[in-house]
Amino acid sequence: MRVGWGADAHRFGGVGPTLLGGVVVDAARGVEATSDGDVLAHAVADALLGAAALGDLGALFPSGDPRSAGANSMDLLAEVVGRVAAAGYRVGSLDATVIAERVRVAPHREAIRGRLAAVLGTGLDAVSVKGTSTDGLGFLGRDEGLAAVVVAVLLERQEQAPG
């Protein structure tokens, strides 16, 4: 078993939408980012990369690389999942917390869990997504942006016997 931790934060800015786990959670507001700015997908990817000791998202997809501009974060996450699998691991479980003042996770929780589980190649029962606020404290509390923190557990891949 391997454990990894990931975190990401983005400032609100520009046109929408704001995405969490590939799901639109705020159609009117966007975030400042090189890619589509999905903080949850980014934090999940970093947690997986950390657990597998494969570096970090910024090293794989540098913000200065033109291919990263406007990239779909769930596609980036799928590539990370492929690298993790190639290293001999599979996702055992994922626990994610989104930190935001006005963006609410609860109305979107099941859709987010479903999108993440599909990309991670695991069941819904292995994906937890929660939301919290800072009750007005700091840049998150002033609703200037949002953040996500994630813990991922990887298990060694079990090779299936032929036949």
Side-chain angles (χ1 to χ4, degrees):
M1 176 176 69
R2 309 278 297 255
V3 177
W5 187 79
D8 194 34
H10 285 290
R11 175 187 320 269
F12 286 121
V15 297
T18 296
L19 301 167
L20 291 175
V23 174
V24 174
V25 296
D26 187 333
R29 291 192 297 177
V31 297
E32 295 177 10
T34 302
S35 68
D36 63 14
D38 187 330
V39 296
L40 183 54
H42 297 173
V44 170
D46 265 342
L48 296 176
L49 289 166
L54 295 174
D56 62 55
L57 196 62
L60 291 180
F61 309 104
S63 58
D65 184 340
R67 292 175 294 174
S68 297
N72 180 317
S73 296
M74 294 300 280
D75 290 345
L76 302 180
L77 178 57
E79 185 170 331
V80 166
V81 170
R83 289 173 184 249
V84 166
Y89 302 103
R90 63 183 172 85
V91 176
S93 65
L94 186 87
D95 184 23
T97 302
V98 174
I99 308 163
E101 198 63 27
R102 282 193 0 223
V103 171
R104 295 290 176 238
V105 169
H108 310 283
R109 183 183 334 274
E110 294 312 309
I112 295 168
R113 288 179 68 219
R115 292 288 307 273
L116 288 173
V119 171
L120 299 173
T122 190
L124 278 175
D125 61 340
V127 179
S128 171
V129 176
K130 306 174 302 295
T132 192
S133 76
T134 64
D135 293 324
L137 183 64
F139 83 93
L140 295 169
R142 289 188 301 271
D143 197 39
E144 295 172 7
L146 73 167
V149 293
V150 174
V151 174
V153 174
L154 297 181
L155 304 173
E156 288 189 27
R157 239 173 149 51
Q158 304 271 330
E159 295 300 322
Q160 292 187 350

